[in-house]
Amino acid sequence: MPEIQTNNLVDRGQLKIQVTSRQRAVPIPNATIEISYTGDPDSVLETVSTDENGQTPVVDLPAPPVEYSMSPSENQPYSEYNLKIHSDEYKPVTISGAQILSGVEGLQPVSMIPEETHTPTEEHPIVIGPHTLWGNYPPKIAESEIKPVNESGEIVLSRVVIPEYIIVHDGPVGDKTAQNYYVRYKNYIKNVAACEIYSTWPRATLEANILAIMSFTLNRVYTEWYRNKGHDFTITSSTAYDHKFIPGKTTYNSINTIVDEIFADYLSRPNVRQPILTQYCDGKKVSCPEWMTLL
């Protein structure tokens, strides 16, 4: 791993893998998963199998010191692992870059395609990109936090609705080649939070940031922001416009539990029905004096 030396992995994190069929989302028992460092994919560290619920046991894996994720650091705060998943009657899946942080349990979803499905024999591996606080992503383009809703022809929901699904455009607004993903609302929030905040942070900090993510997302839903511009999606995965979303991203129990508890909440202003478009930056690589900062 070029960014992190294995001899710095003095702490431990945990990982559980959930394997399901893409056709009906049913659990796949007896799937075999080989785990290796991303920087040394041919050296298998652990081999585990799924139970009747399609889940593996919790696996302990080396991780960097927790301090790396608590404040800005020159050290990568998570370790990265590759997963090779095999199961009879299903096409194999490879995931590169599952991120493990100290002291928290990660949940890695895996969706497998039956062998008889008429798709190419080899699928591209799922590559989990860097965390937004570690990698380089476009900064958010500033917008007003409250959108006008009285313009002629504009469609706006009559009340704030927590959707069951949202459609995520996996790329910039104008990229017509980018794929759209239908994602359950709670799963989308969990994915974004795992991409944009560190799961090691104190609960109050996680909760405040998750609330901001949900408010932003619900503003896009409430105002039908992209549909009113002629698009067929709810939100994008581009950090220039919205939040980072990575298909197949590892999520974490510390984040998932909070989302399950407060998923119907959002921030608003007095006498304003719509959720606030809560914009923020990391406060380190990008300065945003009038917004929330993560660090």
Side-chain angles (χ1 to χ4, degrees):
M1 288 180 291
E3 299 90 352
I4 186 170
Q5 298 297 318
T6 56
N7 58 9
N8 288 335
L9 304 182
V10 298
D11 285 2
R12 310 289 289 186
Q14 292 76 44
L15 180 65
K16 177 184 283 188
I17 302 154
Q18 172 75 63
V19 183
T20 57
S21 171
R22 188 176 299 182
Q23 280 194 332
R24 297 183 303 278
V26 295
I28 299 178
N30 302 315
T32 301
I33 299 98
E34 295 180 347
I35 304 173
S36 60
Y37 286 125
T38 296
D40 190 10
D42 295 327
S43 297
V44 177
L45 297 171
E46 299 270 359
T47 301
V48 292
S49 298
T50 57
D51 59 18
E52 65 274 12
N53 298 313
Q55 296 182 345
T56 67
V58 175
V59 181
D60 264 7
L61 294 168
V66 67
E67 292 80 13
Y68 289 0
S69 63
M70 292 301 183
S71 60
S73 171
E74 297 302 318
N75 299 297
Q76 182 173 308
Y78 53 84
S79 49
E80 297 176 317
Y81 293 90
N82 279 11
L83 310 175
K84 292 184 178 179
I85 304 96
H86 298 270
S87 179
D88 293 342
E89 301 179 359
Y90 288 88
K91 298 178 186 295
V93 175
T94 299
I95 296 174
S96 177
Q99 299 168 8
I100 299 300
L101 291 99
S102 173
V104 293
E105 182 180 317
L107 176 62
Q108 180 61 58
V110 180
S111 179
M112 303 190 78
I113 300 175
E115 280 284 8
E116 69 270 13
T117 305
H118 297 292
T119 57
T121 303
E122 288 191 12
E123 286 226 319
H124 295 296
I126 297 168
V127 178
I128 300 174
H131 195 282
T132 57
L133 293 175
W134 181 253
N136 293 312
Y137 293 95
K140 177 73 178 70
I141 300 170
E143 299 178 47
S144 61
E145 64 177 26
I146 303 295
K147 300 299 186 183
V149 294
N150 56 356
E151 295 179 7
S152 175
E154 186 167 355
I155 302 171
V156 177
L157 297 177
S158 60
R159 59 188 177 88
V160 177
V161 175
I162 309 301
E164 184 176 1
Y165 287 88
I166 62 174
I167 303 174
V168 185
H169 184 69
D170 192 20
V173 175
D175 184 355
K176 297 185 182 302
T177 66
Q179 184 172 344
N180 287 351
Y181 289 88
Y182 285 74
V183 186
R184 287 187 181 274
Y185 172 73
K186 287 201 292 185
N187 290 345
Y188 169 78
I189 299 298
K190 292 172 182 178
N191 184 300
V192 167
C195 290
E196 299 211 334
I197 57 181
Y198 288 137
S199 54
T200 53
W201 291 354
R203 180 186 167 102
T205 306
L206 293 176
E207 191 169 328
N209 282 278
I210 290 168
L211 191 57
I213 292 168
M214 294 190 300
S215 299
F216 186 105
T217 303
L218 290 175
N219 182 281
R220 292 294 198 224
V221 172
Y222 177 81
T223 60
E224 301 258 356
W225 184 248
Y226 289 112
R227 292 188 185 279
N228 282 321
K229 298 179 181 297
H231 301 292
D232 60 352
F233 49 83
T234 313
I235 203 162
T236 77
S237 67
S238 170
T239 57
Y241 304 97
D242 300 295
H243 294 131
K244 189 60 185 173
F245 170 87
I246 299 177
K249 176 76 174 74
T250 318
T251 62
Y252 306 92
N253 275 358
S254 56
I255 289 172
N256 296 347
T257 298
I258 295 173
V259 174
D260 287 336
E261 291 174 1
I262 69 169
F263 71 92
D265 296 345
Y266 57 90
L267 299 169
S268 65
R269 300 247 182 238
N271 302 316
V272 178
R273 179 183 292 133
Q274 68 177 268
I276 296 172
L277 192 79
T278 38
Q279 298 160 99
Y280 55 76
C281 69
D282 63 13
K284 179 188 175 189
K285 291 180 288 186
V286 178
S287 177
C288 50
E290 297 180 2
W291 295 357
M292 292 175 56
T293 58
L294 297 175
L295 299 174

